[in-house]
């Protein structure tokens, strides 16, 4: 059963067919972002999870993951680590390749962002095939971080992306 809060969020997600490519139904979260009440509900869902586990840092994924991850990190008073598409981060990086629902790419993280043993929550807007977040998990692991939980506002369950993150704990609030 969906809570009323989750139902109102779910209802606000806008399907945009054939974006950015024919055949893809893009889940547009901007109606959530531009409604202060809904945005707060979404942030509170992440916060509730993170407060229940001792998290040292939030790792979030370029670009919509930043919108949620940064607010959660601010509220918890903990560090934020951006994982970005290749070529965007200015300092020394490590890189992990991944396949997207609509393409292929590489993600990068600064080499001095995560220290051994740090407890990490990974945050992104949407879990599709899982390639993006699996590359983030690889980068977290490379530096000895402990991926405590991967958290997503939306999960496209039919793509089975959570399999790629196993055995990490995966939580999503809106399932399609
Ligand atoms: P994936 O690596 O396939 O799990 O893709 C997840 C990433 O791509 C997330 O950062 C999403 O923002 C974006 N993404 C993939 N598919 C969609 C979709 N159908 N609608 C919106 N965003 C998507």
């Amino acid at each position: 059963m969906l809570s009323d809060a989750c139902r109102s969020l779910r209802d606000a997600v806008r399907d945009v067919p054939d974006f950015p490519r024919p055949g893809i139904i893009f889940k547009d979260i901007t109606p959530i972002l531009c409604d202060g009440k809904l945005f707060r509900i979404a942030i509170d869902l992440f916060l509730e999870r993170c407060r229940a586990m001792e998290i040292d840092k939030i790792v979030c994924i370029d670009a919509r993951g930043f919108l949620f991850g940064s607010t959660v990190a601010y509220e918890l008073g903990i560090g934020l680590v951006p994982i970005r598409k290749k070529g965007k981060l200015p300092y020394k990086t490590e890189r992990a390749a991944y396949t997207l629902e609509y393409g292929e790419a590489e993600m990068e993280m600064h080499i001095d962002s995560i220290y051994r043993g740090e407890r990490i929550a990974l945050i992104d807007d949407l879990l599709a095939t899982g390639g993006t977040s699996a590359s983030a998990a690889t980068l977290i692991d490379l530096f000895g971080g402990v991926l405590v939980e991967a958290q997503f506002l939306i999960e496209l369950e039919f793509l089975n992306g959570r399999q790629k993150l196993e055995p990490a704990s995966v939580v999503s609030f809106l399932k399609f």
Side-chain angles (χ1 to χ4, degrees):
M1 267 300 271
L2 273 184
S3 67
D4 286 350
C6 282
R7 188 174 303 282
S8 60
L9 280 183
R10 200 177 192 281
D11 289 347
V13 175
R14 174 165 54 201
D15 281 359
V16 182
D18 301 322
F19 183 88
R21 288 200 191 153
I24 301 292
I25 299 175
F26 192 86
K27 296 287 183 195
D28 178 16
I29 54 154
T30 60
I32 293 174
L33 300 177
C34 72
D35 180 319
K37 202 169 149 209
L38 291 180
F39 185 50
R40 186 181 285 274
I41 290 171
I43 293 297
D44 285 348
L45 289 168
F46 287 107
L47 270 175
E48 197 182 327
R49 295 296 303 185
C50 288
R51 283 200 175 111
M53 40 192 91
E54 279 169 29
I55 300 293
D56 297 310
K57 277 179 184 157
I58 301 289
V59 170
C60 54
I61 298 178
D62 195 348
R64 286 174 296 277
F66 298 168
L67 302 168
F68 300 103
S70 57
T71 314
V72 171
Y74 170 81
E75 189 62 31
L76 296 175
I78 61 177
L80 175 77
V81 179
I83 290 200
R84 301 210 62 188
K85 288 162 194 140
K86 188 179 155 189
K88 300 279 187 187
L89 287 171
Y91 185 57
K92 293 177 201 158
T93 60
E94 277 292 349
R95 196 173 288 172
Y98 70 107
T99 316
L100 197 65
E101 193 187 359
Y102 43 78
E104 283 190 6
E106 284 176 296
M107 300 305 273
E108 291 182 333
M109 188 175 81
H110 274 157
I111 58 164
D112 58 354
S113 316
I114 291 180
Y115 299 100
R116 184 154 297 281
E118 282 187 319
R119 292 170 58 79
I120 307 292
L122 174 66
I123 290 184
D124 200 4
D125 67 325
L126 185 142
L127 176 65
T129 64
T132 315
S133 38
S135 72
T138 301
L139 290 169
I140 293 165
D141 190 54
L142 197 64
F143 292 97
V146 179
L147 177 56
V148 178
E149 191 165 79
Q151 303 171 355
F152 305 89
L153 183 64
I154 297 171
E155 177 177 5
L156 303 183
E157 285 186 301
F158 59 95
L159 292 171
N160 225 349
R162 61 172 59 225
Q163 259 185 0
K164 288 207 181 87
L165 287 164
E166 278 172 357
S169 167
V170 177
V171 69
S172 65
F173 307 116
L174 312 175
K175 299 176 199 311
F176 289 88

